[in-house]
Amino acid sequence: MSIFFMLLQVVVIIMLAPLFDGMARVLRARLQSRRGPSDFFQTYRDIQKLFKRGRTVPECSHWVFRFGPYTLFGAGAALLAVIPISYNAGSLASYASDIFVVLYIGAMLRFIFGAASIDSGNPFAGVGGSREQMLAVFVEPVMMSSLLVVMLLAKTSNLAEIQMLVQNGDIGYQMPAFAVASISFLWAMYVECGRNPYDLAEAEQEIQEGVLGEYAGADFGIAHAGLILKQFAMIGMFLTIFEPWTFENSFLALIVFILKAGIFYVAAVFIDNFGPRYKLLTSFKSNAIVALCVSSVALILYIVGV
Amino acid sequence: MTQVYLIYLVGCVVSLLLYKKNNLAAKVGFSISAVASLIGVFYFLINIGETSTYNFSEQLLYSPNFTLEPVGNFFSFVISLIALASSIYAIQYSQEYEKKGSLAVMAFLFNAFILSMLLVVSASDVFWFMIYWEIMTVVSAFLICFNDSKSSLKAIMIYLGVAHFGGMCILSAFLLLASQSGSLEFSSFTSVEMSPLYASAIFILALVGFGSKAGMFPFHVWLPKAHPAAPSNISALMSGVMIKLGLFGIIKFCLWLPIQEWWGLLIVVLGALSSLLGVLYALIQHDYKALLAYHSVENIGIILLGIGTGVYGIAINSPILATIGFLAGLYHVVNHAIFKGLLFLAAGSVLFRTHTREIEVLGGLAKKMPFTAIGMFVGVMGIAALPPLNGFVSEWFTYHGMIQGALSEGILPRTVFTLSVIALALTGVLVVIHLKLYAVIFAGTPRDKKIWDNAKEAPLSMLVGMFILIVGCFAFGIGASVVTENIMTVVTSFSGAYEATPDGGFIASTLGNKISLPLITMVLVGAMTLPFLIVVIFRANKTKPRETDPWACGFKYSSRMQMVAGPFTGDLRRLMEWLFRSKPTVEDRGYFEPVVYTDKPKDIWWNAFYAPIINLTMYCVRKIGLLQNGSTSAYSVYILLGLCLFLVISYLL
């Protein structure tokens, strides 16, 4: 039964995620005093249009590049599947929802991204692939220290169990380490989402997402949808650990989750619009150090046992 | 077990007897070792929980006594598994060395190398252990010799130098321990009473000695020099198996000595340092075999994290912590052997067909060598610990062991374990960058057209060798619960137990977390089929894609435009400048020639620890060399002085 819900949550989110992307685009256009898309369904129309187009691929590429979008989308969907939204601790599906599984499926996403970027033979794609890896180097220590604090407090790495513990109030914001960790984790999640000022997945001609520049037609549509899924999954991860409002009823839990995650997704536009994009090695580095300090504070708070 | 040993011995003798028939000797010699390894794999697996002893005839010196305990069985299994793949691979790979040396000797040394490793594991007293240990070192040094070149000779000297220093430390540790127990038999070493200081001295000596063999930081410098210099099937054995025997030694000593808490923490710290520095240095290598060798340093670090956790667990009397630590360490031992073996074999195939170790001139080989490409891809995914491959399972256990350790009371262990978890996570991220190893060699456009045109798929026996290890990568990942059960029989033989494999194909940590690898595999496979379904359901345009050059901003595309290995890690290199100390040089050869850009990062620890020692030795040797001035009369004076000295001594006594 839980496997069914796991499948259901993936399918439903895949269907609805472009809607929130559409909302975010409308809002962003309004904030920038542009007219923007006429309604919230523009992303669906984009993907639909892409599906109709013919494709080109670089001559030199092989299966790593050609199946890249599909594996990218697949990894994004797998991330969504292992986040316990509509199933609870103890059910069969929850034995796949482990923090390390999430982290390493995220690594798989980057792996595919980087390998496809070099395989395309495109110089911009290669640079983009390299930066994607560097981004992870900056983010991972922050993310890991925050999650480590949570795992140590909860004494488990199972996401479903952590969700339950936080909801029951066994661990939570009353613990200083947990509260501080939530701040640094929020930063890490935001960067992983691939949004401005750190990255902007929508601007595919930009260097960061250069690999998308080589995809066309259905391939590009799938890759684009895959990146939206990843963003959704990252937000979902934050909400599961730090804001779990799940319900016994799986359908209700799923609806509430999608609304919650959708609001976060759209609201992130407000951050998007401030300031220019950061340079990876200078501005971003100093930014990451602040986050690293915050997460270290959380870790120290745990170590001294506050 | 003696049957297995005997077949290897037969392999040695037969290959030597066929000395005149070079090609036949190689085929027969490597086939015999393949048969022996195949029997060994099953024998050691079936008897993994047993303790077996075998006595050689009483007439021999010390009446050698072989004992295989569960730990020994486990290591013998790992040796046989990699030896199996490596021997089958070598049947055709050895042709590469037809002109460089006698293949009969190579097959002989190969058999002897495997045999010596198996015997090291089964030796049961100090004397024979040291004999086999040194034979193993010398034989592997001879095998490196087959790549006869200036750099390989230097590599061998460094290897032997570090190995002998390590051997000295090991021997002193053994003798100090034997002086307390009063016997050279290993069986007498258990529960020997000694002062904490004395025990610590023995432990440090053993850790340095075995750690230098294992390639633990800061004794790792020989490894990236020696392993790339060896033929690839030997590199696979050296990197996959031989360095693990150092860990075997550390485990043995930790079980004999009265353990103190800080030993475990020290091993954990060294493990974290090895893994982080190993991967950082691996990232910037341009020689793909040196890159893989640095990766061994990293993986030894990960194994040490597990073993250190286990040792700490024994020290604080927490059998649960000890169990998961050793479980994680041993699991990673076999995993690393499999994927590193696979990577070295795949790298060997590339070398076999392209004759270059420089990563930057290759490219686009996946079209020429599709199977080797898959082998390398699976290997890189395994080493990056992506689920559902084997690396993921052992890292999961390692993380859980360290989290369990971080839950213990006390500021120091908490700090050490939490920081090590973060080091391991960072290592995990950095290892993912190793996709460049696959991507630059096999993907994109060929950078050197001539090499690409001459390349073709490796011959059959090499593919079979790789295939065994590819299957291993999947089997040891998806079948995690079966593997865990077997390793638990080993671990419980010297430590506590907990329910690590609950019913239903789960694996469990001491925290009570359960994950199911088959389920994760199903989720991944299911998720990967979704996009294909979507494409079908929404009737996407699936006409055959048009093939073009990559987009180059309107310029004509040239293969020189694409990403190579150096710039791919360029940002990281700039960030880590303090560690690499590289001095990029730009040589301008005039307007029409391409600019030559070189950037060779250094291993700063070489200058920090090794160069001073080497310089000091050279200085001393030069001073002592003055005595040998070539004049006969001076030598007679030395003899006379010596005589007088002895007379004085005898008079005084």
Side-chain angles (χ1 to χ4, degrees):
Chain A
M1 194 61 192
S2 58
I3 298 290
F4 164 74
F5 278 115
M6 186 190 241
L7 190 65
L8 180 79
Q9 80 186 33
V10 175
V11 171
V12 170
I13 293 176
I14 288 175
M15 309 255 275
L16 288 183
L19 178 68
F20 291 102
D21 192 58
M23 286 183 195
R25 287 167 68 179
V26 170
L27 186 60
R28 186 182 298 131
R30 292 280 184 281
L31 282 173
Q32 293 170 348
S33 309
R34 289 187 286 118
R35 184 176 293 158
S38 54
D39 57 13
F40 296 153
F41 300 99
Q42 187 58 39
T43 309
Y44 291 104
R45 285 195 291 269
D46 284 352
I47 292 174
Q48 182 65 25
K49 194 164 68 184
L50 285 169
F51 272 17
K52 289 217 175 67
R53 296 259 168 95
R55 296 174 297 160
T56 50
V57 291
E59 203 178 352
C60 58
S61 62
H62 69 294
W63 48 267
V64 168
F65 177 84
R66 299 192 184 193
F67 288 118
Y70 302 91
T71 40
L72 214 59
F73 187 98
L79 269 182
L80 280 176
V82 296
I83 291 176
I85 302 166
S86 56
Y87 51 86
N88 291 318
S91 60
L92 177 62
S94 73
Y95 294 124
S97 90
D98 191 275
I99 283 184
F100 295 108
V101 175
V102 174
L103 287 179
Y104 279 87
I105 292 179
M108 183 187 270
L109 243 155
R110 275 198 309 276
F111 183 85
I112 298 162
F113 201 91
S117 75
I118 297 185
D119 194 24
S120 71
N122 185 321
F124 295 95
V127 176
S130 159
R131 300 218 162 165
E132 179 77 18
Q133 314 298 326
M134 268 318 282
L135 218 62
V137 173
F138 283 118
V139 173
E140 187 72 15
V142 179
M143 192 144 88
M144 195 64 212
S145 353
S146 322
L147 286 177
L148 184 60
V149 170
V150 174
M151 284 188 280
L152 287 169
L153 291 174
K155 296 193 175 58
T156 172
S157 71
N158 191 304
L159 269 175
E161 281 175 31
I162 292 177
Q163 190 181 27
M164 206 174 67
L165 287 172
V166 177
Q167 203 175 7
N168 295 345
D170 295 333
I171 57 169
Y173 290 97
Q174 72 274 20
M175 297 172 164
F178 186 89
V180 178
S182 78
I183 300 170
S184 51
F185 191 68
L186 186 61
W187 178 85
M189 284 296 93
Y190 184 77
V191 179
E192 280 285 299
C193 273
R195 292 292 195 93
N196 223 356
Y198 302 104
D199 183 3
L200 188 57
E202 198 184 53
E204 61 273 5
Q205 271 77 28
E206 302 283 344
I207 276 177
Q208 184 68 50
E209 307 288 333
V211 64
L212 299 184
E214 281 299 322
Y215 286 115
D219 288 348
F220 180 56
I222 290 283
H224 191 58
L227 287 176
I228 296 177
L229 285 190
K230 183 198 170 194
Q231 299 189 17
F232 238 82
M234 286 303 155
I235 295 172
M237 175 98 168
F238 175 79
L239 294 177
T240 306
I241 297 175
F242 292 99
E243 291 297 333
W245 312 333
T246 67
F247 300 89
E248 278 300 309
N249 186 325
S250 299
F251 293 104
L252 187 61
L254 185 56
I255 293 167
V256 170
F257 172 83
I258 290 176
L259 286 178
K260 228 171 21 169
I263 289 169
F264 264 77
Y265 189 100
V266 176
V269 168
F270 288 105
I271 308 177
D272 275 8
N273 271 319
F274 298 122
R277 189 164 324 172
Y278 285 151
K279 276 171 78 184
L280 194 62
L281 269 186
T282 46
S283 346
F284 183 53
K285 193 167 92 179
S286 48
N287 221 293
I289 284 173
V290 175
L292 189 62
C293 290
V294 175
S295 62
S296 312
V297 168
L299 210 53
I300 291 167
L301 283 175
Y302 168 76
I303 288 172
V304 298
V306 177
Chain B
M1 67 194 203
T2 41
Q3 295 89 329
V4 181
Y5 298 167
L6 273 178
I7 303 175
Y8 283 117
L9 202 60
V10 170
C12 291
V13 176
V14 169
S15 0
L16 271 193
L17 285 179
L18 291 170
Y19 183 73
K20 287 277 159 63
K21 297 207 166 66
N22 218 358
N23 272 322
L24 185 68
K27 288 207 168 59
V28 173
F30 288 119
S31 304
I32 293 175
S33 73
V35 171
S37 316
L38 188 64
I39 299 172
V41 166
F42 288 108
Y43 176 82
F44 294 119
L45 186 61
I46 291 166
N47 296 316
I48 197 159
E50 314 278 319
T51 303
S52 48
T53 30
Y54 183 77
N55 236 320
F56 259 145
S57 81
E58 295 288 326
Q59 277 87 14
L60 275 172
L61 197 57
Y62 274 113
S63 72
N65 203 351
F66 296 101
T67 311
L68 270 186
E69 286 162 350
V71 190
N73 280 321
F74 171 77
F75 276 91
S76 301
F77 167 75
V78 178
I79 295 169
S80 315
L81 184 63
I82 307 307
L84 173 64
S86 176
S87 327
I88 295 177
Y89 180 90
I91 293 175
Q92 280 181 308
Y93 178 74
S94 54
Q95 285 162 6
E96 171 93 356
Y97 295 91
E98 207 177 345
K99 300 231 163 55
K100 290 186 181 168
S102 162
L103 295 189
V105 174
M106 188 178 187
F108 159 70
L109 288 172
F110 186 81
N111 275 299
F113 183 40
I114 301 172
L115 184 60
S116 64
M117 288 194 288
L118 285 171
L119 289 174
V120 162
V121 172
S122 67
S124 72
D125 64 54
V126 173
F127 179 78
W128 288 104
F129 185 93
M130 287 314 293
I131 294 276
Y132 296 137
W133 184 263
E134 294 299 333
I135 289 178
M136 180 176 85
T137 306
V138 173
V139 169
S140 55
F142 277 131
L143 281 166
I144 299 175
C145 260
F146 270 87
N147 260 339
D148 203 8
S149 71
K150 263 208 172 124
S151 64
S152 75
L153 278 180
K154 195 177 170 215
I156 292 171
M157 289 319 286
I158 294 170
Y159 171 42
L160 285 179
V162 176
H164 278 267
F165 168 71
M168 187 191 76
C169 291
I170 296 171
L171 190 58
S172 340
F174 268 127
L175 293 181
L176 283 176
L177 188 54
S179 73
Q180 288 294 305
S181 76
S183 161
L184 288 175
E185 295 284 327
F186 285 176
S187 50
S188 69
F189 287 169
T190 40
S191 61
V192 182
E193 292 284 316
M194 63 184 94
S195 70
L197 199 65
Y198 197 81
S200 301
I202 296 178
F203 169 74
I204 292 291
L205 279 172
L207 185 66
V208 169
F210 287 115
S212 66
K213 191 65 167 186
M216 175 184 80
F217 172 81
F219 307 103
H220 64 281
V221 285
W222 66 273
L223 210 145
K225 292 192 195 303
H227 288 201
S232 293
N233 58 329
I234 312 297
S235 315
L237 271 180
M238 285 175 73
S239 229
V241 189
M242 188 186 75
I243 56 173
K244 308 290 162 44
L245 295 185
L247 301 171
F248 172 74
I250 294 179
I251 295 179
K252 278 239 160 196
F253 264 90
C254 287
L255 297 180
W256 289 329
L257 297 168
I259 296 177
Q260 293 158 38
E261 281 179 34
W262 64 271
W263 298 2
L265 297 181
L266 178 69
I267 298 179
V268 169
V269 169
L270 284 174
L273 281 176
S274 302
S275 59
L276 212 48
L277 290 170
V279 72
L280 279 173
Y281 279 112
L283 275 171
I284 47 165
Q285 297 302 315
H286 293 274
D287 170 348
Y288 53 82
K289 285 185 80 177
L291 185 153
L292 290 175
Y294 267 115
H295 260 303
S296 298
V297 177
E298 172 230 327
N299 278 285
I300 287 293
I302 296 177
I303 300 169
L304 283 176
L305 286 176
I307 291 178
T309 311
V311 171
Y312 180 75
I314 293 185
I316 62 165
N317 264 328
S318 159
I320 282 182
L321 184 56
T323 312
I324 192 164
F326 283 117
L327 171 63
L330 292 184
Y331 206 137
H332 205 72
V333 164
V334 54
N335 282 347
H336 176 239
I338 290 173
F339 55 64
K340 186 49 64 67
L342 175 59
L343 284 170
F344 264 118
L345 295 189
S349 299
V350 175
L351 188 61
F352 187 74
R353 288 302 189 200
T354 61
H355 303 286
T356 175
R357 278 180 12 204
E358 186 69 24
I359 193 168
E360 308 276 36
V361 297
L362 300 169
L365 281 179
K367 294 206 163 147
K368 292 277 190 170
M369 313 173 77
F371 189 84
T372 311
I374 291 174
M376 185 75 100
F377 194 76
V378 172
V380 173
M381 275 183 70
I383 208 168
L386 302 182
L389 293 182
N390 55 358
F392 173 74
V393 185
S394 47
E395 290 207 10
W396 189 81
F397 276 126
T398 312
Y399 276 119
H400 271 271
M402 288 193 295
I403 290 174
Q404 181 80 53
L407 285 171
S408 51
E409 296 300 316
I411 301 274
L412 184 66
R414 280 187 174 198
T415 316
V416 168
F417 280 112
T418 48
L419 289 182
S420 305
V421 169
I422 292 162
L424 182 55
L426 199 52
T427 308
V429 173
L430 291 168
V431 176
V432 173
I433 304 185
H434 280 285
L435 62 97
K436 77 162 189 184
L437 173 68
Y438 173 80
V440 175
I441 295 179
F442 291 102
T445 56
R447 290 167 183 83
D448 188 328
K449 197 76 180 147
K450 209 191 276 170
I451 290 176
W452 190 77
D453 284 336
N454 290 328
K456 58 177 185 234
E457 184 58 273
L460 182 68
S461 90
M462 292 167 67
L463 300 185
V464 173
M466 278 189 272
F467 182 72
I468 293 171
L469 294 179
I470 292 179
V471 172
C473 273
F474 281 100
F476 280 74
I478 299 170
S481 59
V482 181
V483 182
T484 310
E485 210 175 321
N486 275 304
I487 296 180
M488 279 304 279
T489 57
V490 176
V491 175
T492 42
S493 72
F494 57 82
S495 176
Y498 72 98
E499 207 190 349
T501 50
D503 292 334
F506 296 112
I507 50 171
S509 76
T510 44
L511 294 170
N513 276 153
K514 287 194 274 185
I515 56 169
S516 160
L517 263 294
L519 179 67
I520 293 171
T521 316
M522 263 166 49
V523 169
L524 278 170
V525 172
M528 295 286 174
T529 51
L530 273 179
F532 293 99
L533 282 179
I534 289 175
V535 165
V536 172
I537 292 170
F538 291 96
R539 282 194 227 113
N541 184 344
K542 287 295 282 182
T543 48
K544 202 174 172 324
R546 191 165 58 91
E547 299 204 341
T548 59
D549 276 340
W551 181 67
C553 289
F555 288 89
K556 183 166 168 28
Y557 181 76
S558 138
S559 68
R560 277 173 53 82
M561 285 178 179
Q562 71 176 324
M563 183 55 101
V564 282
F568 195 72
T569 52
D571 283 333
L572 184 78
R573 189 179 303 190
R574 267 189 298 269
L575 192 69
M576 290 286 157
E577 186 53 45
W578 53 274
L579 189 64
F580 301 142
R581 305 274 166 81
S582 59
K583 286 204 182 71
T585 57
V586 182
E587 192 189 337
D588 192 357
R589 295 177 175 174
Y591 186 76
F592 294 104
E593 293 289 311
V595 172
V596 179
Y597 176 83
T598 52
D599 191 357
K600 288 262 162 10
K602 280 180 298 207
D603 198 332
I604 54 171
W605 314 106
W606 177 265
N607 284 341
F609 300 131
Y610 292 83
I613 296 176
I614 293 174
N615 288 341
L616 182 69
T617 318
M618 293 300 273
Y619 178 78
C620 295
V621 168
R622 249 181 238 119
K623 289 288 172 227
I624 297 169
L626 289 179
L627 290 175
Q628 195 180 7
N629 49 14
S631 112
T632 329
S633 39
Y635 292 163
S636 348
V637 173
Y638 296 157
I639 296 172
L640 269 177
L641 283 178
L643 205 59
C644 293
L645 190 69
F646 281 121
L647 282 175
V648 170
I649 291 172
S650 62
Y651 176 76
L652 288 177
L653 287 176

